[in-house]
Amino acid sequence: MRYLIGRYHEIALKGRNQWRFVDQLKSNLRAVFADFKLGAMRGEGPRLIVELPEEIDEEVAAERAALLFGLQNFSLSRPVARDIEAIKREAIAIARAHRSARSFRVRATRADKGFALNSMEIDQAVGAAVKDDAVKDAVELKVDLENPALVITVEILPDAAYIAAGKRPGAGGLPVGITGHGIALLSGGIDSPVAAHRMMRRGLRLDFVHFHSHPLVSAASREKATELAEHLTRYQARSTLMLVAFADIQREIVARGPRPLRVVLYRRFMVRIAAALARRSGARVLVTGESLGQVASQTLENMTVIEEAAALPMVRPLVGMDKNEIVDQARALGTFETSIQPDQDCCSLFVPPHPETHANLDEVRAAESVLEVETMVADAVRKAEIVRLKFP
């Protein structure tokens, strides 16, 4: 029998409301493992213990658990009797299964202080047994307390001792869904998936909206946005991607609006449409990948003018980050290679050579006064293509 033992990240700091965060984490865990029948779940101090069916491959179980926001780290453990000889036998079995490791250490913790040996004594007794077994089999295995290739963890809990081949890093943060529901504007570039991921890590469940100019340009940006949304959906199991055809609105802006203001006008229509889609789905906030000063539309003045058109609060988790920081996070997230694939972003269509970087709200409103703003927004919302995404 195997157990997933997940140790809480920020959940551990919650007081009387901790049960709400734990319940959300349990719900998310069931969703991420929806194609398997999990056993019982229970809390034990600052950890969640989940019985795993034997048919789950260990690497699959580890990959899924690593997607769960709310866990600082986790281990895939086997329970044995609270007896030092039983603990030694299981530790030896783990060491034999990892014969490629040339160094090891044992790290014991006692959640139940009533166990006969303390943590240091457990470390010494189990470590000696593992070392003796390696010597008997003529295997080179040394003890390394600083940088071991293999860490054998022993957790003494009230019901059993749980033994594992180390702890794996969790996703951290708060369980998705605990802080609400938002809509992320997903461009297909490098920044917006990182922004979405950062807000999901803060417990925000997200759906996604992507604006495209197909058929004026290729469908590449639609395909990229779908791939990125699928990647992000792994962290919350279910998502909705809304694909909004933006070419007609762009044509209207180009035909009737001032050239320098085109990009600002594009963005104001995007946030209006995203807010309308958000209200329809019950979302209460918009998330964007804007970084202050990165491009013409992301000056302080332009971001202020753009946000004025939104009927919902806008959150910009990358606003103070530079491009290198964002790229590093995109690489770590696994979205960078998809994001850099060539496409024709709708915001680059019909862009003037010198876009306005310090837009004036009165001038922007005057430019919009000749447009049928409400009709254009309603038409785009009505025609939005809805894609339901699911993981696994």
Side-chain angles (χ1 to χ4, degrees):
M1 186 178 298
R2 288 179 306 162
Y3 286 83
L4 167 65
I5 301 182
R7 297 161 197 91
Y8 303 145
H9 190 224
E10 292 182 56
I11 295 175
L13 303 176
K14 304 302 176 184
R16 296 178 181 176
N17 287 326
Q18 187 182 90
W19 65 270
R20 294 178 56 247
F21 293 82
V22 173
D23 280 357
Q24 185 69 58
L25 176 60
K26 289 179 179 178
S27 176
N28 295 349
L29 194 149
R30 292 188 188 97
V32 166
F33 284 92
D35 50 340
F36 296 101
K37 185 176 177 57
L38 297 177
M41 296 186 191
R42 75 177 195 274
E44 188 69 57
R47 59 182 68 80
L48 181 65
I49 301 176
V50 184
E51 184 180 343
L52 298 175
E54 288 297 332
E55 62 264 26
I56 299 183
D57 178 81
E58 181 151 323
E59 286 310 306
V60 171
E63 288 171 6
R64 300 281 181 90
L67 298 172
L68 289 164
F69 291 117
L71 296 182
Q72 180 177 11
N73 56 58
F74 64 91
S75 56
L76 302 175
S77 304
R78 291 193 180 275
V80 299
R82 288 161 41 99
D83 172 80
I84 193 62
E85 296 304 319
I87 295 170
K88 289 178 184 178
R89 287 192 295 272
E90 184 61 28
I92 289 170
I94 289 174
R96 287 178 176 175
H98 294 80
R99 280 306 197 204
S100 60
R102 290 291 176 260
S103 62
F104 83 105
R105 73 161 296 176
V106 178
R107 181 175 284 124
T109 56
R110 294 185 307 155
D112 180 3
K113 303 301 183 185
F115 190 71
L117 302 178
N118 64 34
S119 297
M120 185 176 295
E121 291 168 336
I122 296 169
D123 290 349
Q124 293 171 345
V126 176
V130 171
K131 179 71 173 176
D132 289 346
D133 183 74
V135 170
K136 182 179 66 177
D137 289 348
V139 173
E140 182 183 347
L141 183 64
K142 67 177 183 178
V143 175
D144 186 344
L145 301 182
E146 298 299 324
N147 190 31
L150 171 65
V151 178
I152 300 173
T153 60
V154 179
E155 290 185 86
I156 307 297
L157 299 183
D159 65 316
Y162 291 82
I163 323 299
K167 297 177 182 179
R168 307 191 189 212
L174 300 171
V176 170
I178 195 65
T179 59
H181 178 199
I183 295 283
L185 280 69
L186 198 63
S187 68
I190 296 171
D191 302 347
S192 54
V194 175
H197 181 263
R198 288 175 68 90
M199 293 312 299
M200 293 165 75
R201 193 172 186 266
R202 300 311 307 151
L204 193 65
R205 183 172 66 86
L206 290 178
D207 290 318
F208 308 100
V209 58
H210 174 71
F211 296 88
H212 64 88
S213 294
H214 184 72
L216 294 185
V217 298
S218 75
S221 78
R222 288 167 47 101
E223 294 165 1
K224 282 176 60 178
T226 302
E227 186 173 340
L228 292 168
E230 287 173 342
H231 186 88
L232 292 166
T233 298
R234 299 180 313 140
Y235 294 90
Q236 58 183 22
R238 303 287 184 276
S239 300
T240 298
L241 171 63
M242 292 156 275
L243 298 167
V244 178
F246 202 59
D248 288 344
I249 290 176
Q250 289 180 283
R251 285 195 188 100
E252 191 72 9
I253 291 172
V254 168
R256 306 182 69 183
R259 291 183 68 187
L261 291 178
R262 285 177 187 172
V263 174
V264 171
L265 293 173
Y266 291 169
R267 296 289 295 175
R268 280 171 64 88
F269 271 90
M270 287 179 181
V271 299
R272 287 186 178 105
I273 294 165
L277 291 167
R279 286 195 298 269
R280 192 168 71 176
S281 65
R284 300 178 65 181
V285 67
L286 304 181
V287 177
T288 77
E290 293 165 299
S291 173
L292 185 61
Q294 188 174 123
V295 295
S297 66
Q298 295 175 20
T299 64
L300 185 60
E301 292 86 351
N302 284 3
M303 287 197 296
T304 301
V305 169
I306 290 165
E307 184 167 0
E308 191 273 340
L312 291 175
M314 291 180 63
V315 175
R316 300 177 175 92
L318 310 186
V319 70
M321 296 176 65
D322 64 41
K323 196 66 177 184
N324 288 340
E325 292 174 309
I326 298 168
V327 166
D328 287 345
Q329 292 199 11
R331 291 185 188 278
L333 177 58
T335 55
F336 179 77
E337 295 301 328
T338 300
S339 293
I340 62 173
Q341 293 173 11
D343 72 330
Q344 292 173 292
D345 177 71
C346 68
C347 278
S348 63
L349 193 64
F350 307 129
V351 172
H354 302 291
E356 179 61 65
T357 57
H358 297 81
N360 177 276
L361 182 57
D362 291 336
E363 291 177 359
V364 171
R365 285 174 172 168
E368 289 179 340
S369 67
V370 301
L371 302 172
E372 298 291 337
V373 173
E374 292 184 6
T375 300
M376 293 162 68
V377 169
D379 195 46
V381 170
R382 179 174 55 83
K383 293 179 180 178
E385 180 183 348
I386 306 299
V387 181
R388 307 292 183 187
L389 303 173
K390 179 181 177 182
F391 177 84

